[in-house]
Amino acid sequence: MQATQTVNEKVQAAWNKRPLVISGPCSAETEEQVIETARRLAATGKVDMLRAGIWKPRTKPGMFEGVGAKGLPWLQQAKKLTGLPTTVEVATGKQVEDALTFDVDVLWIGARTTVNPFSVQEVADALRGVDVPVLIKNPINPDLELWSGAVERIARVGVKQIGLIHRGFSAYGNTEYRNAPMWHLAIEMKRRNPSIMIINDPSHICGRRDILMDVAQKAIDLDFDGLMIESHIDPDKAWSDAKQQVTPEALGEMISSIKWRKEDVPSDEFHSALEKLRQQINHLDDELMDLLGQRMKIAEKIGEYKKNNSVTILQTNRWNSILERAFAKGEKLGLSKEFITKYFDAVHMESINKQNRIMNS
Ligand code: PEP
Ligand code: MN
């Protein structure tokens, strides 16, 4: 592909808009469905870009695998009628070429592609010298290196405008979510890439429409740059991801009812109040670190006693009683069981490592 096209103003404006809202069906199914969805989404006035899956990577063969390239002119038509820039998932070099031939404005790499460096590289090679913005979904598995690797591969071929989509991570077993959000990973990715925009995809995190709003609000509270949410004119009859899609009107209402917060406000009073509270936090964090240091010193001493008396490091009863005490106290202090478990697991592991060093020295 030659660098023949540059990103047009309208697409650039949409890409730069905050919050950026992308919506459209999981899959393009028919020309009428794509155009009606686009019209109704545009009518809400809340949507900046139209998405649609043309090639669908499905978990099992025999599921609907997308209409393929014949759906691309439908998107072209939808853009012509509504003015909405379009975005499509690409997973191969050929799909990149087809999408660009039919003027798709923004490309996205899906979670099942980000996991595979061969595929990401193939997409990257097809993008060499092409000025098109690319969104990169997190890989299916919770691996930030893989996600970063995909970003690097796409950046290396000269793509300048890259964004991230957080769509949750696969976890074995039934949970509330289709894909566990693991917010801390998205936050860490954001911390590592401060100049790259990151939007949230509540649809693929939730897998069902009733909790979309909660996840969308949480993303906005965590200062995400926008949302990608699936919308279908007749959600229950959608050919893919039926349970998680909402009508364009419901999408519009959801976007309206989100409380949009800003990361900062230009008020001196606010800043000085915040600064004071942050100093208190710093002070308490210092104290906590000192206390943890003292706790580890005592654990080391216990290690010495255990060594001299040939006793094992781990004594399960003792550990259970520590946890029970902590849960009881934590409950009174309003600390969740989940937090207490994670915190004590980390403290306990550090203690064990320290004792292990002593007992084997
Ligand atoms: C999609 O956006 O429809 C899709 C297939 O998403 P993901 O790659 O996040 O599973
Ligand atoms: Mn989908």
Side-chain angles (χ1 to χ4, degrees):
M1 270 277 154
Q2 289 305 304
T4 46
Q5 50 189 134
T6 48
V7 179
N8 76 40
E9 267 171 44
K10 183 133 197 176
V11 176
Q12 197 59 61
W15 179 264
N16 292 339
K17 171 157 172 299
R18 296 293 177 271
L20 167 64
V21 177
I22 303 176
S23 187
C26 178
S27 301
E29 299 165 2
T30 65
E31 180 164 16
E32 298 67 43
Q33 171 246 8
V34 169
I35 287 170
E36 197 186 333
T37 313
R39 272 192 203 281
R40 284 165 54 183
L41 284 172
T44 67
K46 305 283 176 195
V47 173
D48 308 302
M49 211 178 275
L50 178 70
R51 64 151 279 155
I54 292 288
W55 302 277
K56 303 299 297 179
R58 305 310 299 278
T59 304
K60 298 263 174 68
M63 293 164 97
F64 174 59
E65 292 187 331
V67 290
K70 78 164 192 235
L72 292 169
W74 309 342
L75 280 172
Q76 232 172 354
Q77 187 63 10
K79 169 163 53 175
K80 202 168 144 198
L81 293 172
T82 62
L84 288 174
T86 56
T87 180
V88 157
E89 172 176 354
V90 289
T92 66
K94 178 75 169 70
Q95 290 172 6
V96 171
E97 279 182 26
D98 286 350
L100 294 176
T101 302
F102 286 91
D103 304 322
V104 171
D105 299 300
V106 170
L107 305 178
W108 95 75
I109 296 179
R112 288 164 192 77
T113 304
T114 309
V115 285
N116 185 342
F118 287 137
S119 302
V120 174
Q121 192 56 50
E122 186 186 323
V123 168
D125 289 338
L127 284 169
R128 202 175 294 277
V130 181
D131 192 10
V132 64
V134 179
L135 292 161
I136 305 175
K137 286 198 171 197
N138 67 256
I140 296 258
N141 51 323
D143 183 344
L144 291 190
E145 298 312 318
L146 213 41
W147 200 0
S148 304
V151 173
E152 274 172 47
R153 284 177 199 277
I154 299 299
R156 269 194 196 185
V157 297
V159 172
K160 302 242 160 18
Q161 311 202 67
I162 295 178
L164 302 169
I165 305 178
H166 168 228
R167 51 77 78 198
F169 301 88
S170 178
Y172 189 72
N174 292 329
T175 60
E176 188 185 1
Y177 300 105
R178 176 176 174 195
N179 290 291
M182 303 189 191
W183 294 101
H184 58 290
L185 293 183
I187 291 167
E188 172 60 13
M189 192 66 181
K190 209 156 119 69
R191 193 190 62 77
R192 290 190 197 176
N193 301 282
S195 61
I196 302 187
M197 77 144 115
I198 179 165
I199 65 172
N200 179 262
D201 171 349
S203 303
H204 293 88
I205 289 178
C206 297
R208 45 187 250 226
R209 41 182 125 17
D210 62 323
I211 54 173
L212 286 176
M213 176 66 194
D214 286 351
V215 169
Q217 182 68 60
K218 176 138 188 188
I220 296 311
D221 290 346
L222 291 173
D223 197 35
F224 277 64
D225 296 299
L227 300 166
M228 178 192 260
I229 304 181
E230 289 180 343
S231 174
H232 193 281
I233 47 171
D234 192 354
D236 286 329
K237 297 218 179 79
W239 299 359
S240 60
D241 290 353
K243 289 199 194 104
Q244 71 197 30
Q245 302 203 59
V246 291
T247 62
E249 294 69 32
L251 184 280
E253 277 164 34
M254 183 155 59
I255 300 299
S256 303
S257 54
I258 288 175
K259 291 188 195 74
W260 299 96
R261 307 186 218 268
K262 339 178 222 340
E263 195 188 5
D264 203 0
V265 285
S267 141
D268 286 347
E269 200 185 322
F270 167 78
H271 281 144
S272 72
L274 196 63
E275 192 46 41
K276 261 189 213 144
L277 292 169
R278 284 184 170 160
Q279 275 172 14
Q280 286 179 31
I281 294 260
N282 286 351
H283 183 67
L284 288 170
D285 279 345
D286 286 347
E287 281 185 16
L288 284 170
M289 300 283 277
D290 285 343
L291 288 170
L292 280 172
Q294 289 177 35
R295 190 191 190 285
M296 293 307 158
K297 287 258 154 18
I298 295 178
E300 282 173 2
K301 230 179 239 166
I302 293 181
E304 275 163 28
Y305 278 119
K306 286 181 181 167
K307 179 180 184 176
N308 294 338
N309 293 286
S310 300
V311 172
T312 59
I313 294 180
L314 179 67
Q315 285 147 317
T316 313
N317 286 344
R318 166 68 183 149
W319 178 232
N320 282 338
S321 86
I322 288 181
L323 273 184
E324 269 160 36
R325 261 170 54 92
F327 287 151
K329 179 142 187 149
E331 201 179 335
K332 282 192 199 122
L333 294 169
L335 303 172
S336 73
K337 211 165 175 174
E338 189 196 354
F339 168 70
I340 297 281
T341 308
K342 277 196 191 138
Y343 169 77
F344 273 91
D345 273 348
V347 170
H348 190 220
M349 266 330 289
E350 182 76 2
S351 280
I352 286 179
N353 291 342
K354 290 236 178 309
Q355 293 193 1
N356 193 33
R357 223 167 291 137
I358 284 176
M359 293 178 84
N360 295 301
S361 65

